[in-house]
Amino acid sequence: MWNDAKYIKISGLQKLTLLDYPEHTACTLFVPGCNFKCPFCHNSELLGGSVEFYDEAEIFAFLKKRRGVLEGVCVTGGEPTLYTDLGRLLSDIKELGYEVKLDTNGYIPERLTELYQKGLLDYVAMDIKNSPARYAETIGLPEARFDISRITESIGIIMNSGVGYEFRTTVSNELFDDESMDGAARMIAGADKYFLQKFVMRDTVPSKTLTAPTDDRLEHYLEIARRYVVNAKIRGT
């Protein structure tokens, strides 16, 4: 299903974000590679073989220079937990005084456990792709290669960590209906934060057949989500 890569690579740097890390001024580091093939992915250019990489020394020179200006560093992808030395990168970032936010698809719960145990995570955002019945379809993988228990294990780890977190779901017309929205939200019943995000077509999206729900439809899905997460909200509209 997935293969560990030893040495983490950095293939993108957003020098300033006011959105990626809630209530923090931050930068975002992008790492390549993913174990999912989501048809709605906005960062699919990170999954190919022609990705360019930053020199890590250059990244840390930037981070040292921006101490006192930036509060946090977001690490996203791709899927950062594919890398066995992710902890080393996060530890080096925290030694500079930054708080760390991790974006993950949650399919490698053992890596999350390791990072939490080492005190390397200050905030985690996990994507809830769909209901269990439609999860494999939504991440572009055959059912035979997908284990939903890995997702539910990560949800439990995150919700019981004592560290800030959020769950989020990207909604398209083709992948969601009332039943699938109910199933997705049910997986995280009682969560602190859950955001629904309207699918947005971009040049980097692999599937050109997906379409965005109307605002009314998204509001309808929000009502369903609030059956399980009372603080669920729509993000980006």
Side-chain angles (χ1 to χ4, degrees), residues 12-45:
L13 167 64
Q14 183 179 358
K15 293 184 176 181
L16 176 64
T17 175
L18 303 177
L19 300 176
D20 288 349
Y21 195 157
E23 300 179 358
H24 287 69
T25 302
C27 68
T28 301
L29 305 181
F30 297 84
V31 304
C34 191
N35 43 2
F36 290 177
K37 298 179 180 179
C38 302
F40 52 87
C41 181
H42 281 175
N43 295 333
S44 63
E45 72 276 11

Side-chain angles (χ1 to χ4, degrees), residues 103-121:
D103 289 344
T104 183
N105 62 28
Y107 203 70
I108 310 180
E110 54 267 39
R111 192 84 73 237
L112 283 175
T113 297
E114 170 195 339
L115 298 174
Y116 277 124
Q117 289 177 344
K118 292 180 178 179
L120 297 177
L121 300 175

Side-chain angles (χ1 to χ4, degrees), residues 129-214:
K129 304 294 187 179
N130 211 319
S131 64
R134 299 191 69 178
Y135 223 98
E137 170 194 359
T138 306
I139 64 174
L141 294 177
E143 285 280 358
R145 294 178 54 200
F146 176 69
D147 180 1
I148 191 64
S149 70
R150 287 183 162 272
I151 299 299
T152 56
E153 183 178 353
S154 287
I155 291 170
I157 291 168
I158 291 168
M159 290 180 64
N160 292 294
S161 67
V163 171
Y165 70 88
E166 68 182 54
F167 297 108
R168 58 200 183 187
T169 295
T170 299
V171 182
S172 67
N173 286 319
E174 291 73 17
L175 294 171
F176 278 89
D177 54 24
D178 288 9
E179 183 177 359
S180 53
M181 178 54 63
D182 185 276
R186 188 189 299 265
M187 293 176 70
I188 56 167
D192 290 338
K193 297 178 183 178
Y194 184 33
F195 295 99
L196 303 186
Q197 305 172 159
K198 182 187 291 191
F199 166 75
V200 176
M201 179 59 72
R202 295 180 182 171
D203 291 342
T204 54
V205 171
S207 174
K208 306 305 181 186
T209 64
L210 298 178
T211 58
T214 64

